[in-house]
Amino acid sequence: MNQLNAIHAFARVVETGSFTRAADSLDMPTTSLSKLVRELEAHLGVRLLQRTTRRVAVTAEGQTYYEKAGRLLRDLQDVDASFSAARGTPRGLLRVDIGGSTARDVLIPLLPAFMARYPEIRIELGVSDRTVNLIGENVDCVIRGGALDDSSLVARHLGDARLITCASPAYLKAHGVPAYPQELRNGHRLISYLLPSNGRAVPFRFRGPDGAFEIKAEHSLGINESNGHLAAAVAGLGLVQTFGYAAGAALRSKALVEVLRPWRPASYPFHVVYPDNRHVSPRLRVFIDWLVEVMPPLLGAAP
């Protein structure tokens, strides 16, 4: 048995909660990974995992071993990283997750400069609006907007995006231009963004002389993906509230028109987030530093 490989395999099963997902993340057959874990259990003389047809649970001994072995794996990563840093050229694979419109309108247009600067770093970009389990899905970092509610994650602020309310000229011609946010409750068709995590509609947010407030009204259409959300507004299906950077091209081409500008809400913060228990490799460090350098102007661009 290669004990280091077996420890790594066991750790990935704990982190992903599945032999199949762990094997996929390590690019090995599930049977090979399962054999490594069985051999590790035989070597230690304890049961580390309880297996059923539906799930994998970590035993008390397994949890203790995972915590101690995890420190060992991180120490080895530190040693490897010190040699990589000494060679002076960050290299290897980065797995990054990002929302749809932020990928399309902000990150991807910037990536050629990063990949020219660091040609030995490869990137796998996961593009979706769903919540990602960084450790379980073996993702190095995620780029997301909104409040941070997970204290186990480390975040770097990337800038703030403007939220705007807009609709197509055809929609406004047919339904009228709202003069005040409260008019959205009276006969207007709203296109809501649905949170992928729970399907709840995000209310339309505004800010007036008395502070911030929300308009909660029944939507005529709800969409849980940011590119589709914007496309529905361009198609004339209703009013939408979205990020200025996402709507910028449509506003410039007159496919969309901003309304209720005096009531724009406060800017929306964006962060790059990564687990605090994972070593920050040289490639991840330079990527994060580069994001902090280049993303704020595009995120905050005036539509």
Side-chain angles (χ1 to χ4, degrees):
M1 178 189 64
N2 183 319
Q3 189 171 359
L4 182 59
N5 285 348
I7 292 172
H8 197 192
F10 164 68
R12 289 304 296 153
V13 174
V14 175
E15 291 164 354
T16 62
S18 160
F19 277 85
T20 301
R21 288 194 293 270
D24 288 343
S25 72
L26 296 174
D27 195 24
M28 68 166 59
T30 304
T31 53
S32 300
L33 182 139
S34 182
K35 180 182 177 183
L36 281 171
V37 174
R38 287 197 306 271
E39 289 176 343
L40 180 62
E41 289 176 323
H43 171 73
L44 297 172
V46 296
R47 176 64 62 88
L48 300 174
L49 300 169
Q50 292 286 359
R51 306 159 179 83
T52 70
T53 56
R54 291 179 176 267
R55 60 190 296 270
V56 176
V58 186
T59 66
E61 294 82 2
Q63 185 62 38
T64 299
Y65 190 76
Y66 170 73
E67 291 170 0
K68 294 182 178 180
R71 290 195 291 269
L72 171 63
L73 292 175
R74 288 191 291 276
D75 287 343
L76 286 171
Q77 288 175 339
D78 287 341
V79 172
D80 289 346
S82 67
F83 280 90
S84 295
R87 289 197 299 269
T89 304
R91 53 173 52 84
L93 177 64
L94 267 180
R95 293 184 173 92
V96 181
D97 196 86
I98 186 171
S101 64
T102 316
R104 184 194 65 190
D105 298 305
V106 180
L107 181 60
I108 290 175
L110 294 169
L111 272 182
F114 178 82
M115 301 186 82
R117 187 186 302 182
Y118 300 104
E120 295 189 48
I121 295 179
R122 297 180 295 116
I123 295 176
E124 289 185 357
L125 201 60
V127 180
S128 73
D129 290 355
R130 68 182 181 86
T131 302
V132 171
N133 182 328
L134 279 83
I135 295 176
E137 298 182 47
N138 202 28
V139 175
D140 292 292
C141 67
V142 300
I143 298 167
R144 285 291 187 272
L148 301 174
D149 55 6
D150 190 338
S151 60
S152 68
L153 302 175
V154 180
R156 291 276 302 274
H157 183 229
L158 295 177
D160 300 288
R162 301 168 188 261
L163 272 169
I164 67 169
T165 308
C166 51
S168 72
Y171 171 85
L172 296 174
K173 182 177 179 180
H175 295 84
V177 179
Y180 301 96
Q182 291 76 7
E183 291 183 21
L184 299 191
R185 295 191 177 100
N186 301 320
H188 276 287
R189 301 177 67 83
L190 305 185
I191 306 169
S192 292
Y193 179 76
L194 306 180
L195 293 171
S197 58
N198 56 27
R200 292 177 182 170
V202 176
F204 281 57
R205 299 185 173 101
F206 299 96
R207 184 171 55 177
D210 298 325
F213 61 97
E214 297 178 345
I215 298 294
K216 297 180 180 178
E218 187 173 276
H219 55 258
S220 61
L221 177 64
I223 300 179
N224 68 353
E225 194 278 326
S226 50
N227 288 317
H229 184 233
L230 182 69
V234 173
L237 293 172
L239 287 151
V240 70
Q241 195 166 74
T242 188
F243 297 119
Y245 65 77
L251 291 168
R252 289 189 292 272
S253 69
K254 310 300 184 184
L256 290 176
V257 176
E258 183 179 4
V259 299
L260 302 173
R261 186 183 180 97
W263 287 272
R264 276 186 180 180
S267 295
Y268 201 74
F270 273 75
H271 299 84
V272 56
V273 183
Y274 55 96
D276 67 355
N277 64 347
R278 178 175 294 186
H279 174 79
V280 180
S281 65
R283 59 185 176 272
L284 179 56
R285 187 176 302 281
V286 297
F287 182 68
I288 291 172
D289 289 344
W290 174 78
L291 291 174
V292 171
E293 172 191 344
V294 302
M295 280 192 73
L298 281 186
L299 283 171

